[in-house]
Amino acid sequence: MSCRKLPVFLLAAVVIFICGWFSTRMASAGEGTFNDIQGHWAERVILEMNAYDIVHGYPGGEFRPNNKVTMLEAVVMILNTLGWGEEAGQADLSGLQFHPSVTWGREYLALAVEKGMLTRAGLPQIDSQRLASRVEVAALVCLALGLTPDASQVTFFDTGDIPEKYRGYVGAVVKQGIIQGMPGNMFMPGEPVTRAQLCAILSRLIDRKLIPPPPPMELVVGRITSMDMIKGTVLLRNLEGEKTVLLPADITILTASGTTGPEFLKTGDRLKCIVDVRNNVRYAVLMEDASIANSVEGLVVSFSRDGSDYKLTLETNDGDYLTCPVEDDARLFRAGSEINTCRPVENDYVQAGLDVNGRVVRIDIYPPERISGTVVEVGGASLTLRRQGEEEEYAVSPRVQVTRNYVRGMNFSELRRGDRVEAVVMKRTIFQVNLLSDVLTGQSGMVSRVHSKAIYLYVGDEEKRYELDEQVEVIRDGRLIDVRDLRRGDYVNFEVDGRGYVITIEVLDEDEGEFEGTVKYLDIYPTPWLTIALPGGLEMEYEVSGKVDVLRDGDRINLSDIIPGSQVAVRVEDGKVTEIEVLDDQNLTVQCLVSGVNPERRRITLEINDRYFTYFLAPGAAILDRNGKPVSLEDLEGYRVEVRLKDGEVDRLTIL
């Protein structure tokens, strides 16, 4: 939806430009400057607009930046900035009526009617002496660009002074950053616009890529890749590629702190140039790198030209889509090193640095990394893996693809602790996971002998021989060691693949560390001792500290509440257990003595390691003798039995 035409009665009469506005061309930045703008807040934009051939000075080298602008001057300036000056010369004036004072510039007014900036009926009322106010310039710009009115952006302290018909126009240009407020959050709607202010407004149209530079001029922003001061050539690179510009030897180059000459430029400098059709530089600024005010990251959906702007569209880690404009000379980095020859492509994972205007000024591309490890914890949007003895947590993309053995698809939530996986990671975010289901994980044992291609381990009460993978990883204290550095008697966790080859060995420190396993024995008196069986059968025995913390579901419990057969995680410090977390005591199998039964309530009391625990029988629980035949609950008291618990209830009981 475009802005409506400016109401007739709000348009003032306009007058021909004084001859100095057009007739006296200012020299380029390399030839001189106006003598009345040095140190003026709008010095740069005045020089830019002069380099574009949009504004010129007065005789004697003056620009008169604080002179007020008439409505006709504003119309001509806007049309010339949009590159419509030649069209004005061909505008159809037939049937149009103008105020008698308008003797020059009627073709611009006629073109403004064609473009929807003015109305045909309002032309006779335009007085050439009327100055252009801030709201009138806002309306002309909004109408010329076809912006959609948006009064929601009008939040100035003097909003009430802005005529209601203008508020949408003002909001539209404020939203685009074309016109800014005055000090104190005031808009001052009736204040006349000065030559300097109008230069700043129109310069923003080009700088913010709302319009291209007026032909035949071109704006080039890039980094210097090479120079030839003898020939006066400078090679600039940006996302478009490389462009050679001709830099006059006597040109004055503006900087943040003053000016400099071509001889002080160097490779890597960021240069903003306005060049003519022959690539001669008319204006040059040595620019500082833009500060990054914010950053976003995600997968690249697209990176393409949209009109005069590059646009980067990302799918963020939250699954949202975000599109940002990109500066022509945005810096590109891959794996931390700056690159000059490529752009981000679809499915690259990037972090985009944005300036205060929300434009991308830096793009860091993170190449995919393939890693492997053992699952420690599966979160809703995270995955913790153990790699080379260290636990690392990764974010997980909403688009994560999970497979089993690279073939069958599965859900991320199906991954379980102890699974061996390979993952594709970009900037610590996982995008692909493959479950290696033929890897036997979580084995443990004690080293017996080590040969060049095989290792002997005691697993439970049996010594077993395993072939060693050529790339076997052996880890002690979080560092890789040679397999030959293993010692007889070392306690280890190890992983075996489907071929029967050991692929990972982690040496356990008996006196320090965290272990998971099954409680085999727990002696309470006189000194507490705990025997824990690790997966694979390795048993480790520890004295329990008198200050041990015992937890279940985050709540503290007594040491005596731990049921042998429970799955636990223990922390060992200086050879003593200092913390025990019960992971699962509702699903286990234990051998014990039946000390009491209650048939009416289907409840049974078991003596386990000299302590007593009472359980209900699950519906349909199997109660069997040693031959597998059903027996009555009343006949069990005093028998030694094997009990299987499921969800905290006796699911199966067999007499031994």
Side-chain angles (χ1 to χ4, degrees):
M1 173 179 171
S2 299
C3 291
R4 295 169 297 172
K5 294 185 178 181
L6 194 62
V8 173
F9 65 87
L10 292 174
L11 288 173
V14 295
V15 69
I16 185 173
F17 278 108
I18 57 175
C19 63
W21 188 266
F22 292 108
S23 61
T24 305
R25 238 191 103 214
M26 175 200 143
S28 74
E31 301 171 42
T33 183
F34 298 115
N35 58 29
D36 60 348
I37 65 170
Q38 187 172 4
H40 194 280
W41 65 266
E43 179 179 6
R44 287 198 179 188
V45 295
I46 291 170
L47 294 176
E48 285 186 23
M49 299 306 285
N50 174 258
Y52 284 129
D53 260 346
I54 295 173
V55 301
H56 307 107
Y58 293 87
E62 292 183 339
F63 184 77
R64 302 177 190 175
N66 298 322
N67 278 12
K68 306 299 189 295
V69 177
T70 67
M71 284 291 292
L72 178 56
E73 291 172 338
V75 169
V76 174
M77 282 278 287
I78 293 169
L79 292 175
N80 281 338
T81 302
L82 269 63
W84 295 339
E86 290 189 7
E87 287 188 52
Q90 303 171 3
D92 183 8
L93 277 63
S94 61
L96 296 178
Q97 297 181 4
F98 300 93
H99 191 278
S101 64
V102 179
T103 58
W104 183 93
R106 292 186 176 188
E107 65 274 18
Y108 282 91
L109 297 179
L111 182 62
V113 171
E114 290 182 23
K115 299 295 184 182
M117 299 164 61
L118 303 176
T119 61
R120 176 185 294 264
L123 291 183
Q125 304 174 31
I126 297 177
D127 188 319
S128 61
Q129 299 302 312
R130 170 67 179 269
L131 298 178
S133 68
R134 286 171 56 81
V135 290
E136 289 170 335
V137 169
L140 289 172
V141 172
C142 176
L143 291 162
L145 296 181
L147 301 178
T148 301
D150 186 0
S152 66
Q153 302 294 319
V154 185
T155 58
F156 300 101
F157 290 152
D158 59 349
T159 294
D161 296 336
I162 302 174
E164 187 173 350
K165 297 176 182 179
Y166 284 102
R167 290 180 188 173
Y169 302 143
V170 171
V173 295
V174 168
K175 181 179 181 180
Q176 294 289 340
I178 301 168
I179 297 181
Q180 301 170 350
M182 304 295 279
N185 193 32
M186 304 290 285
F187 189 76
M188 298 183 180
E191 190 78 12
V193 174
T194 67
R195 283 162 58 83
Q197 290 170 340
L198 193 53
C199 283
I201 291 169
L202 298 179
S203 174
R204 293 185 193 116
L205 298 182
I206 300 172
D207 276 353
R208 296 176 185 273
K209 300 293 186 69
L210 296 171
I211 61 171
M217 301 303 173
E218 181 182 359
L219 175 63
V220 181
V221 182
R223 294 187 181 275
I224 298 175
T225 58
S226 66
M227 297 178 292
D228 187 334
M229 289 295 99
I230 296 177
K231 295 181 179 179
T233 58
V234 175
L235 185 63
L236 298 177
R237 171 178 289 279
N238 58 27
L239 295 176
E240 279 291 293
E242 293 183 335
K243 185 178 183 68
T244 299
V245 298
L246 303 174
L247 201 64
D250 61 345
I251 191 170
T252 299
I253 301 171
L254 302 178
T255 69
S257 57
T259 60
T260 189
E263 66 273 17
F264 296 105
L265 296 176
K266 61 183 184 301
T267 301
D269 281 347
R270 186 183 184 209
L271 205 61
K272 173 182 178 181
C273 303
I274 296 174
V275 300
D276 62 19
V277 69
R278 296 182 178 180
N279 292 325
N280 293 303
V281 176
R282 294 170 52 89
Y283 169 86
V285 179
L286 183 60
M287 302 178 67
E288 296 181 338
D289 286 333
S291 298
I292 295 177
N294 189 22
S295 63
V296 294
E297 58 185 67
L299 280 177
V300 174
V301 177
S302 65
F303 183 84
S304 59
R305 220 20 157 162
D306 181 8
S308 61
D309 245 343
Y310 280 100
K311 294 293 179 70
L312 173 66
T313 300
L314 300 179
E315 180 181 356
T316 69
N317 289 339
D318 296 327
D320 298 326
Y321 287 84
L322 178 67
T323 299
C324 301
V326 183
E327 286 290 353
D328 285 350
D329 66 332
R331 303 181 71 181
L332 296 179
F333 292 79
R334 181 180 290 275
S337 299
E338 189 164 8
I339 56 177
N340 294 318
T341 57
C342 86
R343 305 172 184 176
V345 296
E346 187 176 349
N347 289 326
D348 270 348
Y349 191 84
V350 304
Q351 177 174 301
L354 312 179
D355 65 12
V356 293
N357 297 314
R359 299 182 66 85
V360 177
V361 296
R362 172 172 174 144
I363 301 175
D364 285 272
I365 304 172
Y366 294 90
E369 176 188 6
R370 190 172 295 276
I371 65 172
S372 60
T374 302
V375 175
V376 175
E377 184 177 354
V378 181
S382 65
L383 185 65
T384 302
L385 302 178
R386 189 179 74 247
R387 303 180 59 227
Q388 298 185 2
E390 298 290 334
E391 292 185 6
E392 298 183 58
E393 183 178 355
Y394 298 88
V396 177
S397 167
R399 295 177 57 182
V400 66
Q401 296 179 342
V402 186
T403 56
R404 185 188 301 272
N405 295 331
Y406 297 104
V407 178
R408 186 175 71 82
M410 57 183 291
N411 294 323
F412 175 74
S413 59
E414 295 181 68
L415 293 174
R416 295 290 180 265
R417 182 183 182 89
D419 284 344
R420 183 74 179 179
V421 297
E422 288 185 347
V424 174
V425 179
M426 290 184 279
K427 197 177 182 285
R428 300 198 62 77
T429 298
I430 291 177
F431 290 88
Q432 293 180 19
V433 181
N434 181 58
L435 172 62
L436 304 173
S437 62
D438 59 349
V439 175
L440 308 176
T441 62
Q443 301 294 296
S444 61
M446 185 178 70
V447 175
S448 172
R449 292 173 288 165
V450 180
H451 295 291
S452 59
K453 295 185 178 181
I455 185 171
Y456 291 81
L457 297 168
Y458 284 107
V459 179
D461 297 329
E462 182 182 357
E463 185 184 51
K464 295 184 177 181
R465 182 182 185 277
Y466 296 92
E467 299 292 331
L468 291 172
D469 184 83
E470 291 182 0
Q471 303 297 323
V472 62
E473 289 185 347
V474 185
I475 304 152
R476 186 194 300 273
D477 298 328
R479 296 187 177 185
L480 288 173
I481 63 172
D482 193 278
V483 68
R484 292 171 295 183
D485 293 331
L486 289 172
R487 298 186 294 266
R488 180 180 177 85
D490 279 341
Y491 288 126
V492 297
N493 282 329
F494 62 97
E495 295 172 334
V496 181
D497 66 14
R499 303 168 302 163
Y501 283 67
V502 174
I503 57 176
T504 305
I505 301 173
E506 181 182 0
V507 181
L508 304 177
D509 185 346
E510 296 177 72
D511 295 332
E512 298 284 342
E514 297 182 0
F515 308 99
E516 288 189 17
T518 303
V519 175
K520 190 164 187 179
Y521 302 108
L522 177 61
D523 296 327
I524 303 295
Y525 304 106
T527 301
W529 281 84
L530 172 70
T531 301
I532 179 173
L534 303 185
L538 179 64
E539 295 182 6
M540 303 176 75
E541 187 176 55
Y542 295 100
E543 181 181 347
V544 179
S545 169
K547 297 181 180 180
V548 65
D549 286 328
V550 186
L551 305 171
R552 182 202 292 130
D553 297 328
D555 297 325
R556 294 183 182 277
I557 62 174
N558 295 322
L559 185 64
S560 58
D561 292 331
I562 296 177
I563 305 169
S566 300
Q567 295 294 311
V568 297
V570 301
R571 177 179 296 168
V572 178
E573 300 176 11
D574 294 329
K576 289 187 178 182
V577 174
T578 59
E579 182 178 299
I580 305 173
E581 180 181 3
V582 177
L583 303 177
D584 186 2
D585 61 0
Q586 302 293 295
N587 300 277
L588 54 86
T589 300
V590 62
Q591 294 183 1
C592 54
L593 186 70
V594 178
S595 65
V597 294
N598 186 334
E600 291 78 16
R601 303 194 61 183
R602 291 181 58 80
R603 196 165 63 181
I604 187 169
T605 300
L606 306 175
E607 181 183 345
I608 308 173
N609 276 19
D610 300 324
R611 281 169 290 134
Y612 298 92
F613 302 88
T614 300
Y615 298 97
F616 286 98
L617 270 67
I623 304 175
L624 308 171
D625 63 15
R626 59 178 55 91
N627 296 316
K629 296 181 178 181
V631 295
S632 298
L633 181 62
E634 296 89 339
D635 299 333
L636 293 178
E637 190 167 350
Y639 278 93
R640 187 161 184 79
V641 296
E642 181 177 271
V643 174
R644 184 178 71 189
L645 296 180
K646 184 176 181 180
D647 296 329
E649 295 182 329
V650 175
D651 176 62
R652 182 184 180 92
L653 183 150
T654 304
I655 297 175
L656 298 176

